[in-house]
């Protein structure tokens, strides 16, 4: 292919059942986007909601390498519409890459657009600064620091533990930059609270609840690094669970409560349920047995792949299969040095994992891999996985859901092109546009 445009158009033609919006979205997520100065935010003092760096960097460079985008943050997300491809409304998480062939810039009339190979391919919308971001906590911290929202305001992302106890080359997941992201924000002098106080979280949620008059925020996710020992004297289930307990007591039924944690023993999972969590995300990261061992060494050492999968299945007995939604990092299957060499092999492996879980009523979801440069896999694979892999995965994902009669998982907003808000992959954009997903069901 002579240009990125030619590659994208070829894939749209070869895979007509994948929405054209998803093809562009996956390419932006896997390879990033550059921003002209005209498209950057004025941080928390402006009219545009800035990128919050809510857990990982999701950038193709360190902060010092991003230029002005490190000083004036880009938007949290962008919306693509119109253009020569007549794109339906598509929400895309921002992953900055100054060398990307995609660029967001304002035209002579001040209207933002997305440019590829020098041609404008869509209009770009940016999220307005929410009213709740304009109000500080009593201690002076910003709501964006304590309880940022993503997915166009749908999800409150509560990273209550900003580092991971899987530490060092022999334990850290090889694609994950959570620990580096913590270090780079501290080095830059940015506020980046390591362990968030429960009362701070509750105060931030009070502000969101007060000023989110449209009730756009529908769910919250409690997450952070893995806990192999304790944090503040609590094990993993109790640490993340006690935030859920406090939130549900203060705001009963206001949001769908979700937790991302390790695959824990059944008794610990029951504690999550007892604390008021409605959806459990015990992420399995990558399906292939060898790749799991090589790319998730800490998880293999402390739990092990087979036990991880057993615990996922066990958790369905507590939450109900529909409310257990493990994530995998789409693309690391093809990462050198150990990944699959062909798209066919990678898709076959990942589909095997999808069928394993979906045959039992559990619907995984995925995040499109961003090869952050401070991670081992990012350094070795700066281009990420081929775009064709991501497009074929969307096709295989939808087909597998249809094979087992499953519908879009709860807690992700409405499915379908032009309607989806999930911003870090296109799986919701690629599903049928039905009625909005139901709230989490009671097991």
């Amino acid at each position: 292919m002579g240009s990125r445009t030619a590659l994208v158009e070829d894939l749209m033609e070869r895979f007509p059942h994948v929405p054209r919006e998803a093809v562009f979205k996956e390419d932006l997520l896997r390879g990033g986007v550059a921003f002209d100065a005209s498209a950057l935010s004025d941080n928390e003092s402006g009219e545009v909601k800035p990128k919050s760096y809510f857990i990982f960097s999701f950038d193709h460079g360190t902060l010092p390498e991003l230029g002005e985008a490190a000083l004036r943050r880009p938007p949290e997300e962008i919306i693509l519409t119109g253009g020569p491809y007549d794109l339906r409304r598509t929400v895309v998480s921002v992953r900055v890459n100054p060398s990307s062939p995609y660029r967001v810039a304002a035209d002579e009339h001040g209207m933002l657009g997305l440019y590829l190979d020098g041609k404008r391919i869509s209009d770009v919308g940016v999220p307005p600064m929410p009213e709740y971001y304009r109000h500080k906590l009593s201690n002076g911290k910003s709501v964006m620091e304590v309880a940022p929202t993503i997915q166009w305001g749908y999800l409150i992302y509560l990273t209550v533990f900003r580092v991971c106890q899987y530490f060092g080359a022999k334990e850290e997941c090889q694609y994950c930059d959570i620990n580096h992201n913590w270090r780079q924000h501290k080095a830059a002098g940015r506020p980046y609270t390591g362990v968030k106080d429960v009362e701070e979280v509750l105060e931030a949620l009070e502000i969101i609840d007060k000023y989110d008059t449209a009730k756009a925020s529908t769910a919250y996710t409690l997450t952070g690094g893995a806990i192999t020992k304790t944090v503040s004297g609590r094990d993993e289930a109790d640490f993340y669970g006690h935030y859920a307990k406090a939130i549900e007591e203060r705001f009963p039924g206001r949001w769908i409560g979700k937790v991302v944690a390790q695959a824990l023993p059944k008794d610990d999972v029951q504690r999550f349920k007892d604390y008021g969590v409605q959806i459990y995300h015990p992420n399995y990261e990558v399906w292939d047995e060898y790749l799991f061992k090589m790319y998730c060494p800490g998880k293999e050492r402390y739990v092990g792949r087979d036990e991880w999968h057993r615990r996922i299945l066990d958790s369905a007995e507590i939450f109900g299969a529909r409310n257990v939604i493990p994530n995998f990092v789409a693309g690391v299957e093809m990462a050198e040095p150990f990944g699959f060499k062909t798209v066919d092999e990678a898709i076959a492996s990942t589909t095997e994992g999808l069928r394993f879980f979906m045959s039992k009523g559990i619907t995984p979801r995925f995040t499109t891999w961003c090869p952050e440069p401070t991670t081992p896999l990012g350094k070795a694979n700066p281009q990420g996985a081929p775009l064709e892999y991501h497009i074929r995965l969307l096709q295989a994902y939808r087909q597998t859901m249809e094979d087992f009669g499953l519908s879009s998982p709860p807690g992700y907003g409405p499915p379908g092109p032009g309607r989806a808000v999930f911003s870090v992959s296109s799986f919701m954009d690629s599903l049928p546009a039905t009625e909005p997903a139901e709230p989490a069901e009671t097991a």
Side-chain angles (χ1 to χ4, degrees):
M1 294 297 166
S3 68
R4 184 65 66 88
T5 301
L7 171 64
V8 169
E9 291 183 343
D10 175 69
L11 289 168
M12 286 193 288
E13 183 177 347
R14 289 170 56 199
F15 301 98
H17 298 300
V18 175
R20 58 192 178 279
E21 294 84 1
V23 178
F24 282 110
K25 181 170 176 174
E26 289 299 310
D27 209 16
L28 289 166
L29 291 173
R30 62 176 282 279
V33 59
F35 284 83
D36 276 5
S38 60
L40 297 174
S41 79
D42 292 320
N43 299 321
E44 289 180 80
S45 61
E47 298 300 315
V48 174
K49 184 182 186 183
K51 181 169 175 169
S52 61
Y53 290 89
F54 50 90
I55 185 166
F56 313 115
S57 75
F58 282 134
D59 283 337
H60 290 252
T62 62
L63 284 177
E65 294 169 341
L66 299 184
E68 190 171 357
L71 302 175
R72 295 174 53 215
R73 301 186 189 204
E76 183 76 79
E77 292 150 332
I78 56 175
I79 277 183
L80 311 180
T81 54
Y85 303 96
D86 193 23
L87 299 182
R88 291 162 286 188
R89 180 181 185 272
T90 305
V91 182
V92 186
S93 178
V94 165
R95 300 173 172 188
V96 184
N97 181 359
S99 62
S100 172
Y102 291 93
R103 179 169 294 274
V104 176
D107 64 15
E108 64 272 18
H109 303 294
M111 301 297 292
L112 291 179
L114 179 66
Y115 294 80
L116 176 61
D117 296 329
K119 296 180 180 179
R120 188 181 179 102
I121 62 169
S122 81
D123 297 333
V124 168
V126 294
M129 179 69 76
E131 180 62 28
Y132 49 78
Y133 269 20
R134 300 186 187 280
H135 299 268
K136 301 286 188 182
L137 277 64
S138 57
N139 62 8
K141 289 187 178 181
S142 68
V143 171
M144 188 179 79
E145 161 59 14
V146 178
T149 55
I150 60 173
Q151 297 171 25
W152 219 256
Y154 177 88
L155 180 67
I156 305 169
Y157 208 91
L158 301 172
T159 312
V160 291
F161 182 42
R162 276 274 181 54
V163 293
C164 181
Q165 290 185 351
Y166 291 145
F167 199 81
K170 294 183 178 180
E171 292 191 356
E172 289 179 352
C173 292
Q174 300 296 286
Y175 48 80
C176 176
D177 79 343
I178 185 173
N179 288 331
H180 170 78
N181 196 39
W182 155 259
R183 290 190 294 268
Q184 73 166 355
H185 281 268
K186 300 302 287 186
R190 293 181 171 186
Y192 211 68
T193 306
V195 178
K196 295 179 180 177
D197 182 78
V198 171
E199 291 303 317
E200 288 183 356
V201 171
L202 293 175
E203 187 179 356
L205 293 177
E206 289 274 11
I207 294 171
I208 293 175
D209 187 47
K210 178 179 179 179
Y211 292 102
D212 179 21
T213 55
K215 296 293 188 283
S217 59
T218 303
Y220 67 82
T221 291
L222 285 162
T223 187
I227 298 172
T228 59
K229 301 178 179 66
T230 61
V231 174
S232 302
R234 299 176 184 269
D235 65 14
E236 185 161 311
D238 196 39
F239 176 77
Y240 290 113
H242 88 286
Y243 291 91
K245 182 174 185 291
I247 293 169
E248 295 304 322
E249 288 177 349
R250 182 75 63 88
F251 308 97
R254 170 63 178 86
W255 296 285
I256 299 170
K258 309 194 283 186
V259 66
V260 179
Q262 297 188 85
L264 297 173
K266 205 170 182 179
D267 288 348
D268 288 347
V269 175
Q270 182 64 56
R271 281 195 277 164
F272 282 145
K273 181 73 171 177
D274 294 343
Y275 281 138
V277 172
Q278 294 171 267
I279 295 174
Y280 178 42
H281 300 290
N283 300 340
Y284 67 88
E285 316 299 14
V286 62
W287 172 252
D288 181 76
E289 181 176 6
Y290 179 66
L291 294 181
F292 183 87
K293 292 177 180 178
M294 301 308 296
Y295 294 160
C296 305
K299 291 179 177 178
E300 174 65 22
R301 173 184 170 186
Y302 283 91
V303 180
R305 174 183 178 272
D306 291 344
E307 178 64 17
W308 198 282
H309 294 171
R310 277 193 290 270
R311 291 179 180 184
I312 291 175
L313 300 184
D314 285 348
S315 67
E317 298 177 22
I318 295 169
F319 278 94
R322 181 165 165 77
N323 301 325
V324 176
I325 310 171
N327 186 69
F328 63 98
V329 184
V332 297
E333 298 92 333
M334 298 195 71
E336 294 182 354
F338 304 112
F340 295 106
K341 304 303 181 186
T342 69
V343 173
D344 285 349
E345 293 172 306
I347 292 294
S349 173
T350 303
T351 303
E352 181 182 281
L354 292 175
R355 296 189 68 83
F356 174 82
F357 288 113
M358 289 188 183
S359 67
K360 298 167 177 63
I362 293 170
T363 307
R365 52 97 165 177
F366 57 90
T367 301
T368 301
W369 175 40
C370 175
E372 290 115 333
T374 61
T375 66
L377 293 187
K379 290 176 183 175
N381 303 268
Q383 302 303 314
L387 180 57
E388 180 179 337
Y389 164 84
H390 293 285
I391 305 313
R392 289 177 59 182
L393 174 61
L394 293 172
Q395 182 175 261
Y397 184 90
R398 177 168 174 169
Q399 183 61 57
T400 307
M401 285 189 68
E402 291 176 355
D403 288 347
F404 293 104
L406 300 175
S407 58
S408 60
Y412 288 91
R419 304 172 76 243
V421 295
F422 187 68
S423 59
V424 295
S425 84
S426 303
F427 89 91
M428 288 293 286
D429 304 74
S430 302
L431 297 180
T434 59
E435 291 301 308
E438 294 295 323
E441 300 168 354
T442 302

